[in-house]
Coordinates of all heavy atoms in Angstrom, one line a residue:
M34 N 2.0 7.9 17.3 CA 2.3 6.8 18.1 C 2.3 5.5 17.2 O 1.4 5.3 16.4 CB 1.3 6.6 19.2 CG 1.6 5.4 20.1 SD 0.4 5.1 21.4 CE 0.7 6.4 22.5
N35 N 3.4 4.7 17.3 CA 3.5 3.5 16.5 C 2.7 2.4 17.2 O 2.5 2.4 18.4 CB 4.9 3.0 16.4 CG 5.7 3.9 15.5 OD1 5.2 4.8 14.8 ND2 7.0 3.7 15.6
T36 N 2.2 1.5 16.4 CA 1.6 0.2 16.9 C 2.5 -0.9 16.5 O 3.0 -1.0 15.4 CB 0.2 0.0 16.2 OG1 -0.6 1.1 16.5 CG2 -0.4 -1.3 16.7
I37 N 2.8 -1.7 17.5 CA 3.7 -2.9 17.4 C 2.9 -4.1 17.5 O 2.2 -4.3 18.6 CB 4.8 -2.9 18.5 CG1 5.5 -1.5 18.7 CG2 5.8 -4.0 18.2 CD1 6.3 -1.0 17.5
I38 N 2.8 -4.9 16.5 CA 2.0 -6.2 16.5 C 3.0 -7.4 16.4 O 3.8 -7.5 15.5 CB 1.1 -6.2 15.3 CG1 0.2 -5.0 15.3 CG2 0.2 -7.5 15.5 CD1 -0.7 -4.9 14.0
K39 N 2.8 -8.3 17.4 CA 3.6 -9.5 17.4 C 2.7 -10.6 17.0 O 1.7 -10.9 17.6 CB 4.2 -9.8 18.8 CG 4.9 -11.1 18.8 CD 5.4 -11.4 20.3 CE 4.3 -11.6 21.2 NZ 4.3 -12.9 21.9
F40 N 3.0 -11.3 15.9 CA 2.3 -12.5 15.4 C 3.1 -13.7 15.9 O 4.3 -13.8 15.7 CB 2.2 -12.5 13.9 CG 1.3 -11.4 13.3 CD1 1.8 -10.1 13.1 CD2 0.0 -11.7 13.1 CE1 0.9 -9.2 12.6 CE2 -0.9 -10.7 12.6 CZ -0.4 -9.5 12.3
S41 N 2.4 -14.6 16.5 CA 3.0 -15.8 17.1 C 2.0 -17.0 17.1 O 0.9 -16.8 16.8 CB 3.6 -15.5 18.4 OG 2.6 -15.2 19.3
A42 N 2.5 -18.1 17.6 CA 1.7 -19.3 17.8 C 2.2 -20.0 19.0 O 3.4 -20.0 19.3 CB 1.8 -20.2 16.6
P43 N 1.3 -20.7 19.7 CA 1.6 -21.4 21.0 C 2.7 -22.5 20.7 O 3.5 -22.8 21.6 CB 0.3 -22.0 21.5 CG -0.8 -21.4 20.7 CD -0.2 -20.8 19.5
W44 N 2.6 -23.2 19.6 CA 3.5 -24.3 19.3 C 4.9 -23.8 18.8 O 5.8 -24.7 18.6 CB 2.9 -25.2 18.2 CG 2.4 -24.4 17.0 CD1 1.1 -24.0 16.9 CD2 3.1 -23.9 15.9 NE1 0.9 -23.3 15.7 CE2 2.2 -23.2 15.1 CE3 4.4 -23.9 15.5 CZ2 2.5 -22.5 13.9 CZ3 4.8 -23.3 14.4 CH2 3.9 -22.6 13.6
C45 N 5.1 -22.5 18.6 CA 6.3 -22.0 18.0 C 7.4 -21.7 19.1 O 7.2 -20.9 20.0 CB 6.0 -20.7 17.3 SG 7.4 -19.7 16.8
W46 N 8.5 -22.5 19.1 CA 9.5 -22.3 20.1 C 10.2 -20.9 20.1 O 10.3 -20.3 21.1 CB 10.6 -23.4 20.0 CG 11.6 -23.3 21.0 CD1 13.0 -23.0 20.7 CD2 11.6 -23.4 22.4 NE1 13.7 -23.0 21.9 CE2 12.8 -23.2 22.9 CE3 10.5 -23.7 23.3 CZ2 13.1 -23.2 24.3 CZ3 10.8 -23.7 24.6 CH2 12.0 -23.5 25.1
P47 N 10.6 -20.4 18.9 CA 11.1 -19.0 18.9 C 10.1 -18.0 19.5 O 10.5 -17.0 20.1 CB 11.5 -18.8 17.5 CG 11.7 -20.1 16.9 CD 10.7 -21.0 17.6
C48 N 8.8 -18.2 19.2 CA 7.8 -17.3 19.7 C 7.8 -17.3 21.3 O 7.7 -16.3 21.9 CB 6.4 -17.7 19.3 SG 6.2 -17.7 17.5
Q49 N 8.0 -18.5 21.8 CA 8.0 -18.6 23.3 C 9.2 -17.9 23.9 O 9.1 -17.3 25.0 CB 7.9 -20.1 23.7 CG 6.7 -20.8 23.2 CD 5.4 -20.1 23.5 OE1 5.2 -19.6 24.6 NE2 4.5 -20.0 22.5
Q50 N 10.3 -18.0 23.2 CA 11.5 -17.3 23.7 C 11.4 -15.8 23.5 O 12.0 -15.1 24.4 CB 12.7 -17.8 22.9 CG 13.1 -19.2 23.1 CD 14.3 -19.7 22.2 OE1 14.3 -19.5 21.0 NE2 15.3 -20.3 22.9
Y51 N 10.7 -15.4 22.5 CA 10.5 -13.9 22.3 C 9.5 -13.3 23.2 O 9.6 -12.1 23.5 CB 10.1 -13.8 20.8 CG 9.9 -12.4 20.3 CD1 10.7 -11.3 20.7 CD2 8.9 -12.1 19.4 CE1 10.5 -10.0 20.3 CE2 8.7 -10.8 18.9 CZ 9.5 -9.8 19.3 OH 9.3 -8.5 18.8
K52 N 8.5 -14.1 23.7 CA 7.5 -13.5 24.5 C 7.9 -12.7 25.7 O 7.5 -11.6 25.9 CB 6.5 -14.6 25.0 CG 5.3 -14.1 25.8 CD 4.3 -15.2 26.1 CE 3.2 -14.7 26.9 NZ 2.7 -13.3 26.8
P53 N 8.9 -13.2 26.5 CA 9.3 -12.3 27.7 C 10.0 -11.0 27.3 O 9.8 -10.0 27.9 CB 10.4 -13.2 28.4 CG 10.2 -14.6 27.9 CD 9.5 -14.5 26.6
V54 N 10.7 -11.0 26.1 CA 11.3 -9.8 25.6 C 10.2 -8.8 25.2 O 10.2 -7.6 25.6 CB 12.2 -10.1 24.4 CG1 12.7 -8.8 23.8 CG2 13.4 -10.9 24.9
F55 N 9.2 -9.3 24.4 CA 8.1 -8.5 24.0 C 7.4 -7.9 25.2 O 7.1 -6.7 25.2 CB 7.2 -9.3 23.0 CG 6.2 -8.4 22.4 CD1 6.4 -7.7 21.2 CD2 4.9 -8.4 22.9 CE1 5.4 -7.0 20.6 CE2 3.9 -7.6 22.3 CZ 4.2 -6.9 21.2
D56 N 7.1 -8.8 26.1 CA 6.3 -8.3 27.3 C 7.1 -7.3 28.1 O 6.5 -6.3 28.6 CB 6.0 -9.5 28.2 CG 4.9 -10.5 27.6 OD1 4.3 -10.0 26.6 OD2 4.8 -11.6 28.1
E57 N 8.4 -7.4 28.2 CA 9.1 -6.5 29.0 C 9.1 -5.1 28.3 O 8.9 -4.1 29.0 CB 10.6 -6.9 29.2 CG 11.4 -6.0 30.0 CD 12.9 -6.4 30.1 OE1 13.2 -7.6 29.9 OE2 13.7 -5.6 30.5
V58 N 9.3 -5.1 27.0 CA 9.3 -3.8 26.3 C 7.9 -3.2 26.3 O 7.8 -2.0 26.5 CB 9.8 -4.0 24.8 CG1 9.6 -2.7 24.0 CG2 11.3 -4.4 24.8
K59 N 6.9 -4.0 26.2 CA 5.5 -3.6 26.2 C 5.2 -2.9 27.6 O 4.7 -1.8 27.7 CB 4.6 -4.7 26.0 CG 3.1 -4.4 26.1 CD 2.2 -5.5 25.7 CE 2.1 -6.5 26.8 NZ 1.1 -7.5 26.5
N60 N 5.7 -3.6 28.7 CA 5.4 -3.0 30.0 C 6.2 -1.7 30.3 O 5.7 -0.8 30.9 CB 5.7 -4.1 31.0 CG 4.8 -5.2 31.0 OD1 3.7 -5.1 30.6 ND2 5.2 -6.4 31.5
T61 N 7.4 -1.6 29.7 CA 8.2 -0.5 29.9 C 7.8 0.7 29.0 O 8.0 1.8 29.5 CB 9.7 -0.9 29.6 OG1 10.1 -2.0 30.4 CG2 10.7 0.3 30.0
H62 N 7.3 0.4 27.8 CA 7.1 1.5 26.9 C 5.6 1.6 26.5 O 5.3 2.1 25.4 CB 7.9 1.3 25.6 CG 9.4 1.4 25.9 ND1 10.1 2.6 26.1 CD2 10.3 0.4 26.1 CE1 11.3 2.3 26.4 NE2 11.5 1.0 26.4
S63 N 4.7 1.2 27.3 CA 3.3 1.2 27.0 C 2.7 2.6 26.7 O 1.7 2.7 26.1 CB 2.5 0.5 28.0 OG 2.6 1.2 29.3
T64 N 3.4 3.6 27.2 CA 2.9 5.0 26.9 C 3.4 5.5 25.6 O 2.9 6.5 25.1 CB 3.2 5.9 28.1 OG1 4.6 6.0 28.2 CG2 2.5 5.5 29.3
E65 N 4.4 4.9 25.0 CA 5.0 5.4 23.8 C 4.5 4.7 22.5 O 4.7 5.2 21.4 CB 6.6 5.3 23.8 CG 7.2 6.3 24.8 CD 7.5 5.6 26.1 OE1 7.5 4.4 26.2 OE2 7.8 6.3 27.1
A66 N 3.9 3.5 22.7 CA 3.5 2.7 21.6 C 2.3 1.8 22.0 O 2.2 1.5 23.2 CB 4.6 1.9 21.0
E67 N 1.5 1.4 21.1 CA 0.5 0.5 21.3 C 1.0 -0.9 21.0 O 1.6 -1.1 19.9 CB -0.8 0.8 20.5 CG -1.9 -0.2 20.8 CD -3.1 0.1 19.9 OE1 -3.1 1.0 19.0 OE2 -4.2 -0.5 20.2
F68 N 0.9 -1.9 21.8 CA 1.4 -3.2 21.6 C 0.2 -4.2 21.5 O -0.6 -4.2 22.4 CB 2.3 -3.7 22.8 CG 3.6 -2.9 22.8 CD1 3.6 -1.7 23.5 CD2 4.7 -3.4 22.3 CE1 4.8 -0.9 23.6 CE2 5.9 -2.6 22.3 CZ 5.9 -1.4 23.0
L69 N 0.2 -5.0 20.5 CA -0.8 -6.0 20.2 C -0.1 -7.4 20.0 O 1.0 -7.4 19.4 CB -1.7 -5.6 19.0 CG -2.3 -4.3 19.1 CD1 -3.0 -4.0 17.8 CD2 -3.4 -4.2 20.2
E70 N -0.8 -8.4 20.4 CA -0.3 -9.8 20.1 C -1.4 -10.5 19.4 O -2.6 -10.5 19.8 CB 0.0 -10.5 21.4 CG 1.1 -9.7 22.2 CD 1.5 -10.4 23.5 OE1 1.8 -11.6 23.5 OE2 1.4 -9.7 24.5
V71 N -1.0 -11.2 18.3 CA -2.0 -12.0 17.5 C -1.5 -13.4 17.4 O -0.4 -13.7 17.0 CB -2.1 -11.4 16.1 CG1 -3.0 -12.2 15.2 CG2 -2.6 -9.9 16.2
D72 N -2.4 -14.3 17.8 CA -2.1 -15.8 17.6 C -2.6 -16.1 16.2 O -3.8 -16.0 15.9 CB -2.9 -16.6 18.7 CG -2.7 -18.1 18.6 OD1 -2.4 -18.6 17.5 OD2 -3.0 -18.7 19.6
V73 N -1.7 -16.6 15.4 CA -2.0 -16.8 14.0 C -2.9 -18.0 13.8 O -3.6 -18.2 12.8 CB -0.7 -17.0 13.1 CG1 0.1 -15.7 13.1 CG2 0.1 -18.2 13.6
D74 N -2.9 -18.9 14.8 CA -3.8 -20.1 14.7 C -5.3 -19.7 14.9 O -6.2 -20.2 14.3 CB -3.5 -21.1 15.8 CG -2.2 -21.8 15.4 OD1 -1.8 -21.8 14.3 OD2 -1.6 -22.4 16.4
T75 N -5.6 -18.7 15.8 CA -6.9 -18.3 16.0 C -7.3 -17.0 15.3 O -8.5 -16.7 15.3 CB -7.2 -18.1 17.6 OG1 -6.2 -17.1 18.0 CG2 -7.0 -19.4 18.3
N76 N -6.4 -16.3 14.7 CA -6.7 -15.1 14.0 C -6.0 -15.1 12.6 O -5.2 -14.3 12.2 CB -6.1 -13.9 14.7 CG -6.9 -13.7 16.0 OD1 -8.1 -13.4 16.0 ND2 -6.2 -13.9 17.1
Q77 N -6.4 -16.1 11.8 CA -5.8 -16.3 10.5 C -6.0 -15.1 9.6 O -5.2 -14.8 8.7 CB -6.2 -17.6 9.9 CG -5.7 -18.8 10.6 CD -6.3 -20.1 10.0 OE1 -7.1 -20.1 9.1 NE2 -5.8 -21.2 10.5
E78 N -7.2 -14.5 9.7 CA -7.5 -13.4 8.8 C -6.5 -12.2 9.0 O -6.1 -11.6 8.0 CB -8.9 -12.8 9.1 CG -10.0 -13.9 9.0 CD -10.2 -14.7 10.2 OE1 -9.9 -14.3 11.3 OE2 -10.6 -15.9 10.0
E79 N -6.1 -12.0 10.3 CA -5.1 -10.9 10.5 C -3.8 -11.3 9.9 O -3.1 -10.4 9.4 CB -5.0 -10.6 12.0 CG -6.2 -9.9 12.6 CD -6.5 -8.5 12.0 OE1 -5.5 -7.7 11.9 OE2 -7.6 -8.3 11.6
A80 N -3.4 -12.5 10.1 CA -2.1 -13.0 9.5 C -2.1 -12.8 8.0 O -1.1 -12.4 7.4 CB -1.8 -14.4 9.9
I81 N -3.2 -13.1 7.4 CA -3.3 -13.0 5.9 C -3.3 -11.5 5.6 O -2.6 -11.1 4.6 CB -4.6 -13.7 5.4 CG1 -4.5 -15.2 5.5 CG2 -4.9 -13.3 4.0 CD1 -5.8 -16.0 5.3
K82 N -4.0 -10.7 6.3 CA -4.1 -9.3 6.0 C -2.7 -8.6 6.0 O -2.4 -7.8 5.2 CB -5.0 -8.6 7.1 CG -5.0 -7.1 7.0 CD -5.9 -6.5 8.1 CE -5.9 -5.0 8.1 NZ -6.7 -4.5 9.2
Y83 N -1.8 -9.0 7.0 CA -0.5 -8.5 7.1 C 0.6 -9.3 6.4 O 1.8 -9.1 6.6 CB -0.2 -8.2 8.5 CG -1.0 -7.1 9.1 CD1 -2.1 -7.3 9.9 CD2 -0.6 -5.7 8.8 CE1 -2.8 -6.2 10.4 CE2 -1.4 -4.7 9.3 CZ -2.5 -4.9 10.1 OH -3.2 -3.9 10.6
R84 N 0.1 -10.3 5.6 CA 1.0 -11.2 4.9 C 2.1 -11.9 5.7 O 3.3 -11.9 5.3 CB 1.7 -10.4 3.7 CG 0.7 -9.9 2.7 CD 1.3 -9.2 1.6 NE 0.3 -8.7 0.7 CZ 0.2 -7.5 0.2 NH1 1.1 -6.6 0.5 NH2 -0.7 -7.2 -0.7
V85 N 1.7 -12.3 6.9 CA 2.6 -13.0 7.8 C 2.8 -14.5 7.2 O 1.8 -15.2 7.1 CB 2.1 -13.1 9.2 CG1 2.9 -13.9 10.1 CG2 1.9 -11.6 9.8
M86 N 4.0 -14.8 6.9 CA 4.4 -16.1 6.3 C 5.0 -17.1 7.3 O 5.0 -18.3 7.1 CB 5.3 -15.9 5.1 CG 4.7 -15.0 4.1 SD 3.2 -15.6 3.4 CE 3.7 -16.7 2.2
S87 N 5.6 -16.5 8.4 CA 6.2 -17.3 9.4 C 6.1 -16.6 10.7 O 5.9 -15.3 10.8 CB 7.6 -17.8 9.1 OG 8.4 -16.6 8.9
V88 N 6.3 -17.3 11.8 CA 6.3 -16.7 13.1 C 7.5 -17.0 13.9 O 8.2 -18.0 13.6 CB 5.0 -17.2 13.9 CG1 3.8 -16.6 13.4 CG2 4.9 -18.7 14.0
P89 N 7.9 -16.1 14.8 CA 7.3 -14.8 15.1 C 7.6 -13.8 14.1 O 8.7 -13.7 13.5 CB 7.9 -14.5 16.5 CG 9.3 -15.0 16.5 CD 9.1 -16.3 15.7
T90 N 6.6 -12.9 13.8 CA 6.8 -11.8 13.0 C 6.3 -10.6 13.8 O 5.3 -10.6 14.4 CB 6.0 -11.9 11.7 OG1 6.5 -12.9 10.9 CG2 6.0 -10.6 10.9
T91 N 7.1 -9.5 13.7 CA 6.8 -8.3 14.4 C 6.6 -7.2 13.3 O 7.4 -7.0 12.5 CB 7.9 -7.8 15.4 OG1 8.2 -8.9 16.3 CG2 7.5 -6.5 16.1
I92 N 5.4 -6.5 13.4 CA 5.1 -5.5 12.4 C 4.9 -4.2 13.1 O 4.3 -4.1 14.2 CB 3.8 -5.9 11.7 CG1 4.0 -7.1 10.8 CG2 3.3 -4.7 10.9 CD1 2.9 -7.6 10.1
V93 N 5.5 -3.1 12.5 CA 5.4 -1.8 13.1 C 4.5 -1.0 12.2 O 4.7 -0.9 10.9 CB 6.7 -1.1 13.2 CG1 6.6 0.3 13.8 CG2 7.7 -2.0 14.1
I94 N 3.5 -0.4 12.7 CA 2.5 0.4 11.9 C 2.6 1.9 12.4 O 2.6 2.1 13.6 CB 1.1 -0.1 12.1 CG1 1.0 -1.5 11.5 CG2 0.1 0.8 11.3 CD1 -0.3 -2.2 11.7
K95 N 2.7 2.8 11.5 CA 2.7 4.2 11.8 C 1.8 4.9 10.8 O 1.9 4.7 9.6 CB 4.1 4.8 11.7 CG 4.1 6.3 12.1 CD 5.5 6.8 12.1 CE 5.6 8.2 12.7 NZ 6.9 8.6 13.0
D96 N 0.8 5.7 11.2 CA -0.1 6.4 10.3 C -0.8 5.5 9.4 O -0.9 5.7 8.2 CB 0.6 7.5 9.6 CG 1.2 8.6 10.5 OD1 0.6 8.9 11.5 OD2 2.3 9.1 10.1
W97 N -1.2 4.3 9.9 CA -2.0 3.3 9.2 C -1.2 2.6 8.1 O -1.7 1.9 7.3 CB -3.3 3.9 8.6 CG -4.1 4.5 9.6 CD1 -4.2 5.9 9.9 CD2 -5.0 3.8 10.5 NE1 -5.1 6.0 10.9 CE2 -5.6 4.8 11.3 CE3 -5.4 2.5 10.7 CZ2 -6.6 4.5 12.3 CZ3 -6.3 2.2 11.7 CH2 -6.9 3.2 12.5
Q98 N 0.1 2.8 8.1 CA 1.0 2.1 7.1 C 2.0 1.2 7.8 O 2.5 1.6 8.9 CB 1.8 3.2 6.3 CG 1.0 4.1 5.5 CD 0.5 3.5 4.2 OE1 1.2 2.7 3.7 NE2 -0.6 4.0 3.8
V99 N 2.2 0.0 7.2 CA 3.3 -0.9 7.8 C 4.6 -0.3 7.4 O 4.9 -0.1 6.2 CB 3.1 -2.3 7.2 CG1 4.3 -3.1 7.6 CG2 1.8 -2.9 7.6
I100 N 5.4 0.0 8.4 CA 6.7 0.6 8.1 C 7.9 -0.4 8.3 O 9.0 -0.2 7.8 CB 7.0 1.9 8.9 CG1 6.9 1.7 10.4 CG2 6.0 3.0 8.4 CD1 7.3 2.9 11.2
H101 N 7.6 -1.4 9.1 CA 8.6 -2.5 9.3 C 7.9 -3.8 9.5 O 6.8 -3.9 10.1 CB 9.5 -2.3 10.5 CG 10.4 -1.2 10.4 ND1 11.6 -1.2 9.6 CD2 10.5 0.0 11.0 CE1 12.2 -0.1 9.7 NE2 11.6 0.7 10.5
S102 N 8.4 -4.9 8.9 CA 8.0 -6.2 9.2 C 9.2 -7.1 9.3 O 10.0 -7.2 8.4 CB 7.1 -6.7 8.0 OG 6.6 -8.0 8.2
I103 N 9.4 -7.7 10.5 CA 10.6 -8.4 10.8 C 10.2 -9.8 11.3 O 9.4 -9.9 12.2 CB 11.5 -7.7 11.8 CG1 11.8 -6.3 11.3 CG2 12.7 -8.5 12.1 CD1 11.3 -5.3 12.2
T104 N 10.7 -10.8 10.6 CA 10.5 -12.2 11.1 C 11.7 -12.7 11.9 O 12.8 -12.5 11.5 CB 10.3 -13.1 9.9 OG1 9.2 -12.6 9.1 CG2 10.0 -14.6 10.3
W105 N 11.4 -13.2 13.0 CA 12.4 -13.8 14.0 C 12.3 -13.1 15.3 O 11.9 -11.9 15.3 CB 13.8 -13.9 13.4 CG 14.6 -15.0 14.1 CD1 15.6 -14.8 15.0 CD2 14.4 -16.4 14.1 NE1 16.1 -15.9 15.5 CE2 15.3 -17.0 14.9 CE3 13.4 -17.2 13.5 CZ2 15.4 -18.4 15.2 CZ3 13.5 -18.6 13.7 CH2 14.5 -19.1 14.5
P106 N 12.7 -13.6 16.4 CA 12.7 -12.9 17.6 C 13.6 -11.7 17.6 O 14.7 -11.8 17.1 CB 13.1 -14.0 18.7 CG 12.9 -15.3 18.0 CD 13.1 -15.0 16.5
L107 N 13.2 -10.6 18.2 CA 14.0 -9.4 18.2 C 14.6 -9.3 19.6 O 14.1 -9.7 20.6 CB 13.1 -8.2 17.9 CG 12.3 -8.2 16.6 CD1 11.5 -7.0 16.5 CD2 13.3 -8.4 15.4
S108 N 15.7 -8.5 19.6 CA 16.3 -8.2 20.9 C 15.5 -7.1 21.6 O 14.8 -6.4 20.9 CB 17.8 -7.8 20.7 OG 17.8 -6.5 20.1
K109 N 15.7 -6.9 22.8 CA 15.0 -5.9 23.6 C 15.4 -4.5 23.0 O 14.6 -3.6 22.8 CB 15.3 -6.0 25.1 CG 14.7 -4.9 25.9 CD 14.9 -5.2 27.4 CE 16.3 -5.1 27.8 NZ 16.5 -5.2 29.2
E110 N 16.7 -4.4 22.7 CA 17.2 -3.1 22.2 C 16.6 -2.8 20.8 O 16.2 -1.6 20.6 CB 18.7 -3.1 22.1 CG 19.4 -3.3 23.5 CD 19.4 -4.7 24.1 OE1 19.2 -5.6 23.3 OE2 19.6 -4.8 25.3
Y111 N 16.6 -3.7 20.0 CA 16.1 -3.5 18.6 C 14.6 -3.2 18.7 O 14.1 -2.3 18.0 CB 16.4 -4.7 17.7 CG 16.1 -4.4 16.2 CD1 16.9 -3.5 15.5 CD2 15.0 -4.9 15.6 CE1 16.6 -3.2 14.2 CE2 14.7 -4.7 14.3 CZ 15.5 -3.8 13.6 OH 15.2 -3.5 12.3
L112 N 13.8 -4.0 19.4 CA 12.4 -3.7 19.6 C 12.1 -2.3 20.1 O 11.2 -1.6 19.6 CB 11.7 -4.8 20.5 CG 10.2 -4.7 20.7 CD1 9.5 -4.8 19.3 CD2 9.8 -5.9 21.5
T113 N 12.9 -1.9 21.1 CA 12.8 -0.6 21.6 C 13.0 0.5 20.6 O 12.3 1.5 20.5 CB 13.7 -0.4 22.9 OG1 13.4 -1.4 23.8 CG2 13.5 1.0 23.5
E114 N 14.0 0.3 19.7 CA 14.3 1.2 18.6 C 13.1 1.4 17.7 O 12.9 2.5 17.2 CB 15.5 0.7 17.8 CG 16.9 1.1 18.3 CD 17.9 0.6 17.3 OE1 17.8 0.7 16.1 OE2 18.9 0.1 17.8
L115 N 12.4 0.3 17.4 CA 11.3 0.3 16.5 C 10.2 1.2 17.0 O 9.4 1.8 16.2 CB 10.8 -1.1 16.2 CG 11.7 -2.0 15.5 CD1 11.1 -3.4 15.3 CD2 12.0 -1.4 14.1
I116 N 10.1 1.4 18.3 CA 9.0 2.2 18.9 C 9.2 3.7 18.4 O 8.2 4.4 18.2 CB 9.1 2.2 20.4 CG1 8.7 0.8 20.9 CG2 8.2 3.2 21.1 CD1 9.0 0.5 22.4
Y117 N 10.4 4.1 18.2 CA 10.7 5.5 17.9 C 11.0 5.8 16.5 O 11.3 6.9 16.1 CB 11.8 6.0 18.8 CG 11.5 5.8 20.3 CD1 12.1 4.8 21.0 CD2 10.6 6.7 20.9 CE1 11.7 4.6 22.4 CE2 10.3 6.6 22.3 CZ 10.9 5.5 23.0 OH 10.5 5.4 24.3
K118 N 10.9 4.8 15.6 CA 11.1 5.0 14.2 C 9.9 5.6 13.5 O 8.8 5.5 13.9 CB 11.5 3.7 13.5 CG 12.8 3.2 13.9 CD 13.4 2.4 12.8 CE 14.8 2.1 13.3 NZ 15.8 1.9 12.4

């Protein structure tokens, strides 16, 4: 099972636009992947750990390895594809 982590911040406009897409995919596919959300302002250590340089960033982890890291809001279709990679 993949883990999908969305790094964002409350002041980030693209993050706010991406939130409903992420939430919809999370609600639809919660049995196929684990979804986590990280606020980079309050969890700077996690952002540093995953080398997040800008937000929103979506990271896909499989078998404890980062297999994708994408900066910018993703479409519902592309985010869904990442669940099964």
Side-chain angles (χ1 to χ4, degrees):
M34 179 182 290
N35 290 350
T36 300
I37 315 291
I38 308 173
K39 176 182 66 123
F40 290 86
S41 62
W44 47 263
C45 167
W46 178 248
C48 298
Q49 301 310 315
Q50 292 177 311
Y51 181 37
K52 182 171 178 34
V54 172
F55 187 85
D56 289 345
E57 181 181 344
V58 173
K59 177 173 80 172
N60 292 335
T61 306
H62 297 281
S63 63
T64 59
E65 290 99 15
E67 180 179 11
F68 292 85
L69 304 171
E70 298 180 57
V71 176
D72 179 336
V73 296
D74 289 340
T75 58
N76 294 294
Q77 293 178 355
E78 301 83 27
E79 289 298 309
I81 291 167
K82 176 181 175 181
Y83 289 103
R84 297 183 177 131
V85 173
M86 303 301 276
S87 60
V88 289
T90 293
T91 303
I92 292 179
V93 181
I94 299 173
K95 182 175 187 170
D96 299 326
W97 302 100
Q98 297 282 329
V99 173
I100 58 171
H101 289 288
S102 180
I103 303 117
T104 301
W105 202 248
L107 305 177
S108 69
K109 181 172 62 171
E110 295 77 19
Y111 189 71
L112 183 56
T113 301
E114 273 183 44
L115 292 176
I116 294 169
Y117 302 103
K118 288 208 176 212

